[in-house]
Amino acid sequence: MTDRRRFLRNAVLAMGGAALAGCDAISQSDTGAKVLDSAEGVTRRVQRLLSPSTALAKEFTEADISPVFKANGSTLPDTPEYQALMRDHFAGYRLDVGGLVARPAQFSLDALRALGTRTQITRHDCVEGWSVIGKWTGTPLGAVLDHVQPRPDARYVVFHCFDHIEEDTPYYESIDLTEARHPQTLLAYALNDATLPVANGAPLRLRVERQLGYKHAKYLRRIELVDSFARIGEGRGGYWEDNGYEWYAGI
Ligand SMILES: Nc1nc2c(c(=O)[nH]1)N[C@H]1C(S)=C(S)[C@@H](COP(=O)(O)O)O[C@H]1N2
Ligand SMILES: [Mo]
């Protein structure tokens, strides 16, 4: 448990749960009700109470950048679809954004760049216990959402990836709209001023800097706005969540 986690848990105990009574939209759906019941839901809600939704993850300087940015999990998706795109240096890549949006769209990497760009030097913390600092450049996810216009019933952003860890179980992840609109949440296409390497998720991967490594979906294939992730994968909001990890992986 990180110091922050421990601190949050103590904060929950100190408040006796009373401060959590003013529930928001999360209690309105079946999935939300389940999340709220769990300790994890409490952690997330306390974290939101203690740090405003706009709080930034720490940013570092050029001098702090790790000499090598370790790659983890999938490092070379083997599906024919991905292999074909890779052979062509991703020239034919299009990110499909759909689901509960007014204007579904497909974006080339140039189209994404045209929506806006941000660079940040941040620390990546893997649940396995290692960290690396890297410089990321990408399009703020908020700018993409502004373009596709989520419908009022949209609550989560789901990231479908090209790779799978087990046969026929594609990697996927999800975050809520608050996290999606956070200024440091990027669809990143560059690492340390170079085109994103295949091992780190080319051509496009998520950066969601206030959460652990497994939330940062690599090899983005499709983004889907949903009102619940109950019917996606095994229903827990991500590949690793379906295998027991927490959905809100706050650092
Ligand atoms: N599509 C996909 N995304 C993924 C993974 C993966 O296996 N597949 N692994 C996750 C884990 S556990 C970590 S720590 C980071 C690793 O990112 P890196 O390879 O750039 O270090 O990617 C995350 N995103
Ligand atoms: Mo990880």
Side-chain angles (χ1 to χ4, degrees), residues 69-75 124-128 130 132 136 161-163 165 171 191 199-201 205 207 213-219 240:
F69 198 98
K70 177 180 159 74
N72 200 42
S74 299
T75 51
H124 178 100
D125 298 324
C126 176
V127 73
E128 295 164 358
W130 51 269
V132 277
W136 299 98
C161 305
F162 282 107
D163 63 311
I165 293 182
Y171 199 96
L191 171 58
N200 302 105
R205 63 96 54 83
R207 293 302 307 171
Y214 61 88
K215 298 296 292 186
H216 301 232
K218 308 197 285 187
Y219 313 113
W240 284 115

PDB file of all heavy atoms in Angstrom, residues 69-75 124-128 130 132 136 161-163 165 171 191 199-201 205 207 213-219 240, ligand 1:
ATOM      1  N   PHE A  69      13.311   3.941 -20.919  1.00  0.00           N
ATOM      2  CA  PHE A  69      11.938   3.805 -20.439  1.00  0.00           C
ATOM      3  C   PHE A  69      11.561   2.329 -20.603  1.00  0.00           C
ATOM      4  O   PHE A  69      11.322   1.854 -21.711  1.00  0.00           O
ATOM      5  CB  PHE A  69      10.974   4.712 -21.216  1.00  0.00           C
ATOM      6  CG  PHE A  69       9.665   4.920 -20.493  1.00  0.00           C
ATOM      7  CD1 PHE A  69       9.447   6.060 -19.727  1.00  0.00           C
ATOM      8  CD2 PHE A  69       8.674   3.944 -20.541  1.00  0.00           C
ATOM      9  CE1 PHE A  69       8.257   6.232 -19.027  1.00  0.00           C
ATOM     10  CE2 PHE A  69       7.481   4.105 -19.840  1.00  0.00           C
ATOM     11  CZ  PHE A  69       7.275   5.257 -19.086  1.00  0.00           C
ATOM     12  N   LYS A  70      11.540   1.635 -19.475  1.00  0.00           N
ATOM     13  CA  LYS A  70      11.241   0.192 -19.498  1.00  0.00           C
ATOM     14  C   LYS A  70       9.901  -0.076 -20.181  1.00  0.00           C
ATOM     15  O   LYS A  70       8.959   0.687 -20.016  1.00  0.00           O
ATOM     16  CB  LYS A  70      11.183  -0.273 -18.040  1.00  0.00           C
ATOM     17  CG  LYS A  70      10.827  -1.721 -17.803  1.00  0.00           C
ATOM     18  CD  LYS A  70      10.828  -1.975 -16.280  1.00  0.00           C
ATOM     19  CE  LYS A  70      10.020  -3.200 -15.895  1.00  0.00           C
ATOM     20  NZ  LYS A  70      10.685  -4.467 -16.224  1.00  0.00           N
ATOM     21  N   ALA A  71       9.821  -1.151 -20.946  1.00  0.00           N
ATOM     22  CA  ALA A  71       8.549  -1.566 -21.539  1.00  0.00           C
ATOM     23  C   ALA A  71       8.004  -2.731 -20.730  1.00  0.00           C
ATOM     24  O   ALA A  71       8.769  -3.536 -20.200  1.00  0.00           O
ATOM     25  CB  ALA A  71       8.744  -1.967 -22.987  1.00  0.00           C
ATOM     26  N   ASN A  72       6.685  -2.825 -20.620  1.00  0.00           N
ATOM     27  CA  ASN A  72       6.082  -3.875 -19.807  1.00  0.00           C
ATOM     28  C   ASN A  72       4.779  -4.361 -20.415  1.00  0.00           C
ATOM     29  O   ASN A  72       4.137  -3.640 -21.163  1.00  0.00           O
ATOM     30  CB  ASN A  72       5.823  -3.345 -18.386  1.00  0.00           C
ATOM     31  CG  ASN A  72       5.658  -4.460 -17.380  1.00  0.00           C
ATOM     32  OD1 ASN A  72       6.389  -5.447 -17.416  1.00  0.00           O
ATOM     33  ND2 ASN A  72       4.693  -4.317 -16.488  1.00  0.00           N
ATOM     34  N   GLY A  73       4.375  -5.574 -20.050  1.00  0.00           N
ATOM     35  CA  GLY A  73       3.165  -6.169 -20.620  1.00  0.00           C
ATOM     36  C   GLY A  73       3.429  -6.503 -22.077  1.00  0.00           C
ATOM     37  O   GLY A  73       4.526  -6.933 -22.426  1.00  0.00           O
ATOM     38  N   SER A  74       2.423  -6.272 -22.917  1.00  0.00           N
ATOM     39  CA  SER A  74       2.628  -6.524 -24.356  1.00  0.00           C
ATOM     40  C   SER A  74       3.674  -5.559 -24.871  1.00  0.00           C
ATOM     41  O   SER A  74       3.674  -4.380 -24.522  1.00  0.00           O
ATOM     42  CB  SER A  74       1.338  -6.276 -25.147  1.00  0.00           C
ATOM     43  OG  SER A  74       0.316  -7.134 -24.710  1.00  0.00           O
ATOM     44  N   THR A  75       4.565  -6.046 -25.720  1.00  0.00           N
ATOM     45  CA  THR A  75       5.575  -5.172 -26.306  1.00  0.00           C
ATOM     46  C   THR A  75       5.602  -5.285 -27.835  1.00  0.00           C
ATOM     47  O   THR A  75       6.315  -4.528 -28.485  1.00  0.00           O
ATOM     48  CB  THR A  75       6.983  -5.479 -25.763  1.00  0.00           C
ATOM     49  OG1 THR A  75       7.226  -6.883 -25.890  1.00  0.00           O
ATOM     50  CG2 THR A  75       7.098  -5.075 -24.298  1.00  0.00           C
ATOM     51  N   HIS A 124       6.100   7.179 -14.262  1.00  0.00           N
ATOM     52  CA  HIS A 124       5.222   6.032 -14.486  1.00  0.00           C
ATOM     53  C   HIS A 124       5.477   5.018 -13.377  1.00  0.00           C
ATOM     54  O   HIS A 124       6.604   4.573 -13.194  1.00  0.00           O
ATOM     55  CB  HIS A 124       5.569   5.434 -15.867  1.00  0.00           C
ATOM     56  CG  HIS A 124       4.779   4.218 -16.227  1.00  0.00           C
ATOM     57  ND1 HIS A 124       3.689   4.268 -17.072  1.00  0.00           N
ATOM     58  CD2 HIS A 124       4.927   2.930 -15.874  1.00  0.00           C
ATOM     59  CE1 HIS A 124       3.204   3.045 -17.219  1.00  0.00           C
ATOM     60  NE2 HIS A 124       3.936   2.214 -16.509  1.00  0.00           N
ATOM     61  N   ASP A 125       4.431   4.696 -12.634  1.00  0.00           N
ATOM     62  CA  ASP A 125       4.563   3.736 -11.522  1.00  0.00           C
ATOM     63  C   ASP A 125       3.812   2.452 -11.856  1.00  0.00           C
ATOM     64  O   ASP A 125       2.586   2.471 -11.992  1.00  0.00           O
ATOM     65  CB  ASP A 125       3.955   4.322 -10.237  1.00  0.00           C
ATOM     66  CG  ASP A 125       4.662   5.586  -9.774  1.00  0.00           C
ATOM     67  OD1 ASP A 125       5.896   5.676  -9.932  1.00  0.00           O
ATOM     68  OD2 ASP A 125       3.971   6.487  -9.246  1.00  0.00           O
ATOM     69  N   CYS A 126       4.550   1.363 -11.965  1.00  0.00           N
ATOM     70  CA  CYS A 126       3.898   0.067 -12.218  1.00  0.00           C
ATOM     71  C   CYS A 126       3.566  -0.585 -10.878  1.00  0.00           C
ATOM     72  O   CYS A 126       4.308  -0.455  -9.903  1.00  0.00           O
ATOM     73  CB  CYS A 126       4.806  -0.849 -13.029  1.00  0.00           C
ATOM     74  SG  CYS A 126       4.101  -2.499 -13.270  1.00  0.00           S
ATOM     75  N   VAL A 127       2.464  -1.305 -10.862  1.00  0.00           N
ATOM     76  CA  VAL A 127       2.007  -2.013  -9.659  1.00  0.00           C
ATOM     77  C   VAL A 127       3.047  -3.043  -9.206  1.00  0.00           C
ATOM     78  O   VAL A 127       3.089  -3.441  -8.040  1.00  0.00           O
ATOM     79  CB  VAL A 127       0.618  -2.660  -9.957  1.00  0.00           C
ATOM     80  CG1 VAL A 127       0.752  -3.864 -10.879  1.00  0.00           C
ATOM     81  CG2 VAL A 127      -0.122  -3.018  -8.693  1.00  0.00           C
ATOM     82  N   GLU A 128       3.933  -3.440 -10.125  1.00  0.00           N
ATOM     83  CA  GLU A 128       4.981  -4.411  -9.765  1.00  0.00           C
ATOM     84  C   GLU A 128       6.069  -3.784  -8.896  1.00  0.00           C
ATOM     85  O   GLU A 128       6.940  -4.485  -8.396  1.00  0.00           O
ATOM     86  CB  GLU A 128       5.627  -4.982 -11.037  1.00  0.00           C
ATOM     87  CG  GLU A 128       4.678  -5.801 -11.890  1.00  0.00           C
ATOM     88  CD  GLU A 128       5.210  -6.033 -13.309  1.00  0.00           C
ATOM     89  OE1 GLU A 128       6.307  -5.516 -13.637  1.00  0.00           O
ATOM     90  OE2 GLU A 128       4.513  -6.726 -14.078  1.00  0.00           O
ATOM     91  N   TRP A 130       8.148  -0.855  -9.812  1.00  0.00           N
ATOM     92  CA  TRP A 130       9.206  -0.047 -10.427  1.00  0.00           C
ATOM     93  C   TRP A 130       8.604   1.235 -11.003  1.00  0.00           C
ATOM     94  O   TRP A 130       7.400   1.329 -11.248  1.00  0.00           O
ATOM     95  CB  TRP A 130       9.938  -0.829 -11.537  1.00  0.00           C
ATOM     96  CG  TRP A 130       9.039  -1.468 -12.551  1.00  0.00           C
ATOM     97  CD1 TRP A 130       8.518  -2.735 -12.502  1.00  0.00           C
ATOM     98  CD2 TRP A 130       8.526  -0.867 -13.757  1.00  0.00           C
ATOM     99  NE1 TRP A 130       7.711  -2.958 -13.598  1.00  0.00           N
ATOM    100  CE2 TRP A 130       7.704  -1.838 -14.382  1.00  0.00           C
ATOM    101  CE3 TRP A 130       8.681   0.374 -14.361  1.00  0.00           C
ATOM    102  CZ2 TRP A 130       7.041  -1.594 -15.589  1.00  0.00           C
ATOM    103  CZ3 TRP A 130       8.012   0.610 -15.564  1.00  0.00           C
ATOM    104  CH2 TRP A 130       7.201  -0.363 -16.158  1.00  0.00           C
ATOM    105  N   VAL A 132       9.594   4.735 -13.774  1.00  0.00           N
ATOM    106  CA  VAL A 132      10.484   5.385 -14.740  1.00  0.00           C
ATOM    107  C   VAL A 132       9.911   6.758 -15.052  1.00  0.00           C
ATOM    108  O   VAL A 132       8.689   6.964 -14.994  1.00  0.00           O
ATOM    109  CB  VAL A 132      10.632   4.612 -16.072  1.00  0.00           C
ATOM    110  CG1 VAL A 132      11.679   3.509 -15.970  1.00  0.00           C
ATOM    111  CG2 VAL A 132       9.305   4.061 -16.561  1.00  0.00           C
ATOM    112  N   TRP A 136       6.305  12.826 -22.349  1.00  0.00           N
ATOM    113  CA  TRP A 136       5.221  12.413 -23.240  1.00  0.00           C
ATOM    114  C   TRP A 136       4.663  13.595 -24.021  1.00  0.00           C
ATOM    115  O   TRP A 136       4.480  14.677 -23.455  1.00  0.00           O
ATOM    116  CB  TRP A 136       4.082  11.792 -22.429  1.00  0.00           C
ATOM    117  CG  TRP A 136       4.508  10.572 -21.691  1.00  0.00           C
ATOM    118  CD1 TRP A 136       4.871  10.502 -20.376  1.00  0.00           C
ATOM    119  CD2 TRP A 136       4.665   9.264 -22.223  1.00  0.00           C
ATOM    120  NE1 TRP A 136       5.232   9.216 -20.064  1.00  0.00           N
ATOM    121  CE2 TRP A 136       5.118   8.435 -21.176  1.00  0.00           C
ATOM    122  CE3 TRP A 136       4.453   8.701 -23.488  1.00  0.00           C
ATOM    123  CZ2 TRP A 136       5.373   7.083 -21.355  1.00  0.00           C
ATOM    124  CZ3 TRP A 136       4.713   7.353 -23.659  1.00  0.00           C
ATOM    125  CH2 TRP A 136       5.160   6.552 -22.610  1.00  0.00           C
ATOM    126  N   CYS A 161      -7.789  -2.071 -27.172  1.00  0.00           N
ATOM    127  CA  CYS A 161      -6.413  -2.141 -27.675  1.00  0.00           C
ATOM    128  C   CYS A 161      -6.250  -3.238 -28.736  1.00  0.00           C
ATOM    129  O   CYS A 161      -7.073  -4.142 -28.847  1.00  0.00           O
ATOM    130  CB  CYS A 161      -5.473  -2.434 -26.506  1.00  0.00           C
ATOM    131  SG  CYS A 161      -5.636  -1.234 -25.163  1.00  0.00           S
ATOM    132  N   PHE A 162      -5.159  -3.137 -29.473  1.00  0.00           N
ATOM    133  CA  PHE A 162      -4.871  -4.127 -30.522  1.00  0.00           C
ATOM    134  C   PHE A 162      -4.374  -5.451 -29.952  1.00  0.00           C
ATOM    135  O   PHE A 162      -4.519  -6.485 -30.594  1.00  0.00           O
ATOM    136  CB  PHE A 162      -3.785  -3.586 -31.464  1.00  0.00           C
ATOM    137  CG  PHE A 162      -4.268  -2.580 -32.459  1.00  0.00           C
ATOM    138  CD1 PHE A 162      -3.949  -1.243 -32.318  1.00  0.00           C
ATOM    139  CD2 PHE A 162      -5.021  -2.969 -33.563  1.00  0.00           C
ATOM    140  CE1 PHE A 162      -4.377  -0.299 -33.246  1.00  0.00           C
ATOM    141  CE2 PHE A 162      -5.453  -2.044 -34.501  1.00  0.00           C
ATOM    142  CZ  PHE A 162      -5.127  -0.709 -34.343  1.00  0.00           C
ATOM    143  N   ASP A 163      -3.734  -5.404 -28.785  1.00  0.00           N
ATOM    144  CA  ASP A 163      -3.083  -6.616 -28.273  1.00  0.00           C
ATOM    145  C   ASP A 163      -3.981  -7.406 -27.337  1.00  0.00           C
ATOM    146  O   ASP A 163      -4.993  -6.921 -26.843  1.00  0.00           O
ATOM    147  CB  ASP A 163      -1.814  -6.229 -27.509  1.00  0.00           C
ATOM    148  CG  ASP A 163      -2.127  -5.372 -26.287  1.00  0.00           C
ATOM    149  OD1 ASP A 163      -2.877  -4.387 -26.424  1.00  0.00           O
ATOM    150  OD2 ASP A 163      -1.624  -5.698 -25.185  1.00  0.00           O
ATOM    151  N   ILE A 165      -3.397 -10.377 -24.033  1.00  0.00           N
ATOM    152  CA  ILE A 165      -2.424 -11.078 -23.204  1.00  0.00           C
ATOM    153  C   ILE A 165      -2.759 -12.559 -23.207  1.00  0.00           C
ATOM    154  O   ILE A 165      -1.909 -13.395 -23.449  1.00  0.00           O
ATOM    155  CB  ILE A 165      -2.394 -10.468 -21.783  1.00  0.00           C
ATOM    156  CG1 ILE A 165      -1.827  -9.042 -21.907  1.00  0.00           C
ATOM    157  CG2 ILE A 165      -1.547 -11.310 -20.833  1.00  0.00           C
ATOM    158  CD1 ILE A 165      -1.670  -8.288 -20.623  1.00  0.00           C
ATOM    159  N   TYR A 171      -6.727  -6.564 -24.592  1.00  0.00           N
ATOM    160  CA  TYR A 171      -6.475  -5.641 -23.483  1.00  0.00           C
ATOM    161  C   TYR A 171      -7.460  -4.486 -23.613  1.00  0.00           C
ATOM    162  O   TYR A 171      -7.719  -3.993 -24.707  1.00  0.00           O
ATOM    163  CB  TYR A 171      -5.045  -5.097 -23.572  1.00  0.00           C
ATOM    164  CG  TYR A 171      -4.528  -4.518 -22.264  1.00  0.00           C
ATOM    165  CD1 TYR A 171      -3.754  -5.288 -21.406  1.00  0.00           C
ATOM    166  CD2 TYR A 171      -4.798  -3.196 -21.906  1.00  0.00           C
ATOM    167  CE1 TYR A 171      -3.252  -4.764 -20.207  1.00  0.00           C
ATOM    168  CE2 TYR A 171      -4.311  -2.666 -20.709  1.00  0.00           C
ATOM    169  CZ  TYR A 171      -3.536  -3.465 -19.873  1.00  0.00           C
ATOM    170  OH  TYR A 171      -3.055  -2.945 -18.697  1.00  0.00           O
ATOM    171  N   LEU A 191       7.383   9.755 -27.208  1.00  0.00           N
ATOM    172  CA  LEU A 191       8.054   9.512 -25.924  1.00  0.00           C
ATOM    173  C   LEU A 191       9.482  10.055 -26.044  1.00  0.00           C
ATOM    174  O   LEU A 191      10.210   9.671 -26.968  1.00  0.00           O
ATOM    175  CB  LEU A 191       8.074   8.014 -25.616  1.00  0.00           C
ATOM    176  CG  LEU A 191       8.919   7.558 -24.416  1.00  0.00           C
ATOM    177  CD1 LEU A 191       8.485   8.228 -23.117  1.00  0.00           C
ATOM    178  CD2 LEU A 191       8.866   6.033 -24.275  1.00  0.00           C
ATOM    179  N   ALA A 199       7.322  -0.919 -28.595  1.00  0.00           N
ATOM    180  CA  ALA A 199       7.329  -1.557 -27.265  1.00  0.00           C
ATOM    181  C   ALA A 199       6.522  -0.757 -26.236  1.00  0.00           C
ATOM    182  O   ALA A 199       5.982  -1.329 -25.283  1.00  0.00           O
ATOM    183  CB  ALA A 199       8.759  -1.726 -26.779  1.00  0.00           C
ATOM    184  N   ASN A 200       6.412   0.551 -26.443  1.00  0.00           N
ATOM    185  CA  ASN A 200       5.689   1.412 -25.497  1.00  0.00           C
ATOM    186  C   ASN A 200       4.285   1.791 -25.968  1.00  0.00           C
ATOM    187  O   ASN A 200       3.662   2.671 -25.377  1.00  0.00           O
ATOM    188  CB  ASN A 200       6.500   2.669 -25.182  1.00  0.00           C
ATOM    189  CG  ASN A 200       7.861   2.368 -24.607  1.00  0.00           C
ATOM    190  OD1 ASN A 200       8.868   2.486 -25.301  1.00  0.00           O
ATOM    191  ND2 ASN A 200       7.939   1.954 -23.359  1.00  0.00           N
ATOM    192  N   GLY A 201       3.793   1.130 -27.033  1.00  0.00           N
ATOM    193  CA  GLY A 201       2.381   1.305 -27.377  1.00  0.00           C
ATOM    194  C   GLY A 201       2.048   1.977 -28.686  1.00  0.00           C
ATOM    195  O   GLY A 201       0.922   2.453 -28.858  1.00  0.00           O
ATOM    196  N   ARG A 205      -0.997   5.740 -27.285  1.00  0.00           N
ATOM    197  CA  ARG A 205      -1.308   5.117 -25.996  1.00  0.00           C
ATOM    198  C   ARG A 205      -1.823   6.186 -25.034  1.00  0.00           C
ATOM    199  O   ARG A 205      -1.584   7.379 -25.191  1.00  0.00           O
ATOM    200  CB  ARG A 205      -0.102   4.384 -25.439  1.00  0.00           C
ATOM    201  CG  ARG A 205       1.137   5.208 -25.093  1.00  0.00           C
ATOM    202  CD  ARG A 205       1.251   5.611 -23.650  1.00  0.00           C
ATOM    203  NE  ARG A 205       1.191   4.604 -22.623  1.00  0.00           N
ATOM    204  CZ  ARG A 205       2.208   3.853 -22.212  1.00  0.00           C
ATOM    205  NH1 ARG A 205       3.392   3.993 -22.737  1.00  0.00           N
ATOM    206  NH2 ARG A 205       2.045   2.990 -21.250  1.00  0.00           N
ATOM    207  N   ARG A 207      -2.077   8.214 -21.531  1.00  0.00           N
ATOM    208  CA  ARG A 207      -1.372   8.637 -20.316  1.00  0.00           C
ATOM    209  C   ARG A 207      -2.433   9.184 -19.363  1.00  0.00           C
ATOM    210  O   ARG A 207      -3.163  10.105 -19.714  1.00  0.00           O
ATOM    211  CB  ARG A 207      -0.333   9.736 -20.623  1.00  0.00           C
ATOM    212  CG  ARG A 207       0.838   9.287 -21.480  1.00  0.00           C
ATOM    213  CD  ARG A 207       1.615   8.147 -20.909  1.00  0.00           C
ATOM    214  NE  ARG A 207       2.061   8.388 -19.547  1.00  0.00           N
ATOM    215  CZ  ARG A 207       2.617   7.431 -18.781  1.00  0.00           C
ATOM    216  NH1 ARG A 207       2.790   6.219 -19.239  1.00  0.00           N
ATOM    217  NH2 ARG A 207       2.986   7.717 -17.547  1.00  0.00           N
ATOM    218  N   GLY A 213       0.370   2.193 -13.686  1.00  0.00           N
ATOM    219  CA  GLY A 213       0.736   1.821 -15.059  1.00  0.00           C
ATOM    220  C   GLY A 213      -0.304   1.052 -15.853  1.00  0.00           C
ATOM    221  O   GLY A 213      -0.493   1.326 -17.043  1.00  0.00           O
ATOM    222  N   TYR A 214      -0.988   0.101 -15.227  1.00  0.00           N
ATOM    223  CA  TYR A 214      -1.880  -0.735 -16.037  1.00  0.00           C
ATOM    224  C   TYR A 214      -3.071   0.028 -16.603  1.00  0.00           C
ATOM    225  O   TYR A 214      -3.708  -0.434 -17.556  1.00  0.00           O
ATOM    226  CB  TYR A 214      -2.352  -1.987 -15.278  1.00  0.00           C
ATOM    227  CG  TYR A 214      -3.146  -1.768 -14.007  1.00  0.00           C
ATOM    228  CD1 TYR A 214      -4.541  -1.634 -14.059  1.00  0.00           C
ATOM    229  CD2 TYR A 214      -2.520  -1.722 -12.771  1.00  0.00           C
ATOM    230  CE1 TYR A 214      -5.280  -1.463 -12.901  1.00  0.00           C
ATOM    231  CE2 TYR A 214      -3.247  -1.552 -11.606  1.00  0.00           C
ATOM    232  CZ  TYR A 214      -4.624  -1.420 -11.673  1.00  0.00           C
ATOM    233  OH  TYR A 214      -5.358  -1.245 -10.518  1.00  0.00           O
ATOM    234  N   LYS A 215      -3.370   1.238 -16.031  1.00  0.00           N
ATOM    235  CA  LYS A 215      -4.470   2.046 -16.583  1.00  0.00           C
ATOM    236  C   LYS A 215      -4.073   2.693 -17.909  1.00  0.00           C
ATOM    237  O   LYS A 215      -4.949   3.104 -18.686  1.00  0.00           O
ATOM    238  CB  LYS A 215      -4.876   3.160 -15.600  1.00  0.00           C
ATOM    239  CG  LYS A 215      -5.391   2.703 -14.255  1.00  0.00           C
ATOM    240  CD  LYS A 215      -6.687   1.905 -14.333  1.00  0.00           C
ATOM    241  CE  LYS A 215      -7.906   2.712 -14.759  1.00  0.00           C
ATOM    242  NZ  LYS A 215      -9.143   1.887 -14.659  1.00  0.00           N
ATOM    243  N   HIS A 216      -2.746   2.800 -18.167  1.00  0.00           N
ATOM    244  CA  HIS A 216      -2.247   3.548 -19.332  1.00  0.00           C
ATOM    245  C   HIS A 216      -2.280   2.676 -20.579  1.00  0.00           C
ATOM    246  O   HIS A 216      -1.248   2.164 -21.033  1.00  0.00           O
ATOM    247  CB  HIS A 216      -0.821   4.036 -19.075  1.00  0.00           C
ATOM    248  CG  HIS A 216      -0.680   4.922 -17.878  1.00  0.00           C
ATOM    249  ND1 HIS A 216      -0.075   6.154 -17.934  1.00  0.00           N
ATOM    250  CD2 HIS A 216      -1.077   4.767 -16.587  1.00  0.00           C
ATOM    251  CE1 HIS A 216      -0.092   6.711 -16.728  1.00  0.00           C
ATOM    252  NE2 HIS A 216      -0.691   5.886 -15.906  1.00  0.00           N
ATOM    253  N   ALA A 217      -3.458   2.456 -21.128  1.00  0.00           N
ATOM    254  CA  ALA A 217      -3.632   1.519 -22.247  1.00  0.00           C
ATOM    255  C   ALA A 217      -2.736   1.871 -23.431  1.00  0.00           C
ATOM    256  O   ALA A 217      -2.731   3.010 -23.897  1.00  0.00           O
ATOM    257  CB  ALA A 217      -5.091   1.500 -22.681  1.00  0.00           C
ATOM    258  N   LYS A 218      -1.980   0.868 -23.894  1.00  0.00           N
ATOM    259  CA  LYS A 218      -1.124   1.036 -25.064  1.00  0.00           C
ATOM    260  C   LYS A 218      -1.877   0.528 -26.303  1.00  0.00           C
ATOM    261  O   LYS A 218      -2.944  -0.061 -26.200  1.00  0.00           O
ATOM    262  CB  LYS A 218       0.166   0.222 -24.897  1.00  0.00           C
ATOM    263  CG  LYS A 218       0.901   0.500 -23.573  1.00  0.00           C
ATOM    264  CD  LYS A 218       2.349   0.023 -23.583  1.00  0.00           C
ATOM    265  CE  LYS A 218       2.504  -1.479 -23.465  1.00  0.00           C
ATOM    266  NZ  LYS A 218       3.953  -1.861 -23.316  1.00  0.00           N
ATOM    267  N   TYR A 219      -1.312   0.750 -27.484  1.00  0.00           N
ATOM    268  CA  TYR A 219      -1.868   0.191 -28.735  1.00  0.00           C
ATOM    269  C   TYR A 219      -3.354   0.485 -28.908  1.00  0.00           C
ATOM    270  O   TYR A 219      -4.164  -0.413 -29.149  1.00  0.00           O
ATOM    271  CB  TYR A 219      -1.630  -1.334 -28.781  1.00  0.00           C
ATOM    272  CG  TYR A 219      -0.227  -1.724 -28.431  1.00  0.00           C
ATOM    273  CD1 TYR A 219       0.052  -2.437 -27.259  1.00  0.00           C
ATOM    274  CD2 TYR A 219       0.838  -1.361 -29.256  1.00  0.00           C
ATOM    275  CE1 TYR A 219       1.350  -2.774 -26.916  1.00  0.00           C
ATOM    276  CE2 TYR A 219       2.145  -1.695 -28.918  1.00  0.00           C
ATOM    277  CZ  TYR A 219       2.399  -2.401 -27.754  1.00  0.00           C
ATOM    278  OH  TYR A 219       3.682  -2.736 -27.413  1.00  0.00           O
ATOM    279  N   TRP A 240      -6.932  -6.070 -16.491  1.00  0.00           N
ATOM    280  CA  TRP A 240      -6.380  -6.439 -15.182  1.00  0.00           C
ATOM    281  C   TRP A 240      -7.427  -6.365 -14.082  1.00  0.00           C
ATOM    282  O   TRP A 240      -7.382  -7.116 -13.103  1.00  0.00           O
ATOM    283  CB  TRP A 240      -5.150  -5.578 -14.854  1.00  0.00           C
ATOM    284  CG  TRP A 240      -3.954  -6.037 -15.642  1.00  0.00           C
ATOM    285  CD1 TRP A 240      -3.276  -5.350 -16.613  1.00  0.00           C
ATOM    286  CD2 TRP A 240      -3.301  -7.322 -15.544  1.00  0.00           C
ATOM    287  NE1 TRP A 240      -2.265  -6.123 -17.120  1.00  0.00           N
ATOM    288  CE2 TRP A 240      -2.242  -7.328 -16.488  1.00  0.00           C
ATOM    289  CE3 TRP A 240      -3.515  -8.461 -14.749  1.00  0.00           C
ATOM    290  CZ2 TRP A 240      -1.400  -8.432 -16.653  1.00  0.00           C
ATOM    291  CZ3 TRP A 240      -2.663  -9.567 -14.913  1.00  0.00           C
ATOM    292  CH2 TRP A 240      -1.624  -9.528 -15.860  1.00  0.00           C
TER     293      TRP A 240
HETATM  294  N1  LIG B   1      -2.493  -2.580 -24.492  1.00  0.00           N
HETATM  295  C1  LIG B   1      -1.764  -2.724 -23.383  1.00  0.00           C
HETATM  296  N2  LIG B   1      -1.607  -1.678 -22.559  1.00  0.00           N
HETATM  297  C2  LIG B   1      -0.865  -1.811 -21.444  1.00  0.00           C
HETATM  298  C3  LIG B   1      -0.274  -3.036 -21.071  1.00  0.00           C
HETATM  299  C4  LIG B   1      -0.452  -4.137 -21.964  1.00  0.00           C
HETATM  300  O1  LIG B   1       0.052  -5.257 -21.737  1.00  0.00           O
HETATM  301  N3  LIG B   1      -1.202  -3.932 -23.105  1.00  0.00           N
HETATM  302  N4  LIG B   1       0.446  -3.137 -19.885  1.00  0.00           N
HETATM  303  C5  LIG B   1       0.213  -2.110 -18.866  1.00  0.00           C
HETATM  304  C6  LIG B   1       1.197  -2.065 -17.797  1.00  0.00           C
HETATM  305  S1  LIG B   1       1.031  -3.168 -16.528  1.00  0.00           S
HETATM  306  C7  LIG B   1       2.133  -1.082 -17.720  1.00  0.00           C
HETATM  307  S2  LIG B   1       3.187  -0.908 -16.379  1.00  0.00           S
HETATM  308  C8  LIG B   1       2.311  -0.143 -18.837  1.00  0.00           C
HETATM  309  C9  LIG B   1       3.716  -0.281 -19.388  1.00  0.00           C
HETATM  310  O2  LIG B   1       3.956   0.717 -20.326  1.00  0.00           O
HETATM  311  P1  LIG B   1       5.387   0.764 -20.999  1.00  0.00           P
HETATM  312  O3  LIG B   1       5.549  -0.536 -21.778  1.00  0.00           O
HETATM  313  O4  LIG B   1       5.436   1.954 -21.858  1.00  0.00           O
HETATM  314  O5  LIG B   1       6.377   0.807 -19.852  1.00  0.00           O
HETATM  315  O6  LIG B   1       1.405  -0.337 -19.901  1.00  0.00           O
HETATM  316  C10 LIG B   1       0.130  -0.722 -19.500  1.00  0.00           C
HETATM  317  N5  LIG B   1      -0.723  -0.712 -20.659  1.00  0.00           N
END
